[in-house]
Amino acid sequence: MIETTITIALLLMLAAVTVGIVRVRGLFAAVVLLGVYSLLMATLFIVLDAVDVAMTEAAVGAGVSTVFFLGALYLTDTVEAPSSRGRFLPLLLALVTAGALVWGLSDLPEFGSPEQPIHKQGADYLARSIPETGIPNVVTSVLASYRSFDTLGETTVVFTAGIGILALLRRRRGEGRN
Amino acid sequence: MRFDIVLRVATKFMLAPLLLFALYVQLHGDYGPGGGFQAGVIAAAAIILYGLMVGLGPVQKIVPSALLEVLIPGGVLIYAGVGVVGMLQGGNFLDYNRLAQDAVHGQEWGVFLVEIGVFMTVSSTMIAIFYAFAGRRRS
């Protein structure tokens, strides 16, 4: 009961922050609101017992990416440029995307239901983790051992992003002189 | 980027606990929430915080760009290397069972090494992105 109340309160606050992000015109305020959004999201993940995801969301979403946004704002401008195009096409695109997402939601299993296929036919990692790997935190054993290929792929994605940013943004030698 | 004295003193007090917490999240990931990715971001956040406080020059004396350029691919290499070692010992790629005398011990070693690889790549990539943004001037 109390968990449902907290979840609903957090979701309402998320909705309010989202409206704020859309409405606000100053980009500085938008970046701060995005950080607030991530922090609320992280709290919601804790309520849903997904502590690992909450930690990632708080560190990446609310922490580091806010700094990156601020760095980008410092290099560009803090006021959104007025759009010269019409508003019809973006509105249509947003409505179509939202419609597709809501349509997709109807196919999801009921929230928290133990009858989902993933709980009935999925691999029984909860039982296997301790005897096979000796790791009590099943999230870690799934990420780093059973699904190690995926995590190698994720690390490679981070690596690729890193060298991409370095290639694009790093100051080249002699750039500052001329 | 310079802040007033209150912010500078307050951030200085936070740096050591932040780095310690990153180590805790990294090494305790088998038992509690967290792992290489989270620890990497927390450690990078500490370095970035220091960089915001003192500026780009002093922070690059502690973590130079050249070091980051070794660490970013180094983490992926460690990760893939663990997989190759598993293959050399007769298992599949990323099979940790043969890394030590028994399978459970090998799994613990494999997860430990792989998480170190993730930590290296994630933290150094975050710091490198920060350097790349902070090193440019407004045009």
Side-chain angles (χ1 to χ4, degrees):
Chain A
M1 179 61 208
I2 196 160
E3 203 177 305
T4 321
T5 321
I6 294 175
T7 310
I8 289 175
L10 281 171
L11 285 174
L12 284 175
M13 282 158 82
L14 270 180
V17 171
T18 314
V19 172
I21 292 173
V22 174
R23 298 280 305 167
V24 79
R25 277 288 156 263
L27 292 180
F28 186 78
V31 167
V32 175
L33 282 176
L34 275 176
V36 175
Y37 184 92
S38 286
L39 205 62
L40 286 171
M41 209 61 206
T43 321
L44 195 59
F45 286 140
I46 289 180
V47 175
L48 296 175
D49 288 338
V51 194
D52 288 79
V53 190
M55 206 175 228
T56 315
E57 180 70 38
V60 177
V64 176
S65 68
T66 308
V67 174
F68 292 161
F69 274 129
L70 291 180
L73 281 188
Y74 173 73
L75 293 176
T76 54
D77 204 355
T78 52
V79 183
E80 199 177 331
S83 164
S84 55
R85 303 264 184 82
R87 289 188 174 175
F88 179 69
L89 195 64
L91 185 69
L92 186 74
L93 198 67
L95 282 179
V96 168
T97 314
L101 285 175
V102 171
W103 181 53
L105 272 182
S106 65
D107 233 13
L108 282 179
E110 202 183 324
F111 177 72
S113 147
E115 302 297 310
Q116 306 171 29
I118 192 171
H119 293 315
K120 299 183 98 171
Q121 293 151 17
D124 43 353
Y125 293 125
L126 285 177
R128 280 166 58 193
S129 179
I130 293 244
E132 282 184 7
T133 67
I135 296 174
N137 182 7
V138 186
V139 178
T140 300
S141 69
V142 168
L143 278 182
S145 179
Y146 295 116
R147 292 279 176 269
S148 197
F149 256 82
D150 296 5
T151 312
L152 176 61
E154 282 167 22
T155 315
T156 315
V157 166
V158 174
F159 161 74
T160 317
I163 54 173
I165 292 272
L166 283 184
L168 282 173
L169 282 181
R170 206 162 69 117
R171 279 167 70 188
R172 288 165 195 88
R173 217 164 287 160
E175 192 190 36
R177 270 176 241 147
N178 39 17
Chain B
M1 288 184 253
R2 307 249 167 205
F3 296 122
D4 69 324
I5 184 91
V6 176
L7 278 179
R8 290 172 69 101
V9 172
T11 26
K12 231 172 215 177
F13 274 112
M14 283 172 66
L15 285 177
L18 260 180
L19 287 172
L20 204 62
F21 184 60
L23 275 182
Y24 167 76
V25 169
Q26 168 79 25
L27 300 174
H28 207 254
D30 290 5
Y31 304 98
F37 189 90
Q38 289 89 342
V41 176
I42 294 170
I47 302 291
I48 289 174
L49 190 64
Y50 184 69
L52 286 175
M53 191 173 68
V54 299
L56 204 56
V59 74
Q60 281 187 335
K61 271 186 198 149
I62 299 175
V63 188
S65 291
L67 176 70
L68 295 179
E69 282 162 26
V70 175
L71 286 179
I72 293 176
V76 182
L77 276 179
I78 286 182
Y79 202 129
V82 173
V84 172
V85 169
M87 273 173 90
L88 289 179
Q89 290 178 325
N92 292 321
F93 184 62
L94 287 173
D95 183 357
Y96 309 145
N97 281 345
R98 294 163 200 251
L99 290 180
Q101 68 272 26
D102 62 63
V104 171
H105 206 61
Q107 290 281 343
E108 279 173 350
W109 264 109
V111 169
F112 177 73
L113 291 172
V114 155
E115 295 275 17
I116 286 181
V118 175
F119 175 88
M120 280 168 59
T121 296
V122 169
S123 62
S124 46
T125 301
M126 298 289 167
I127 300 172
I129 295 176
F130 170 69
Y131 284 178
F133 272 112
R136 289 184 77 90
R137 302 253 163 72
R138 253 181 123 132
S139 51

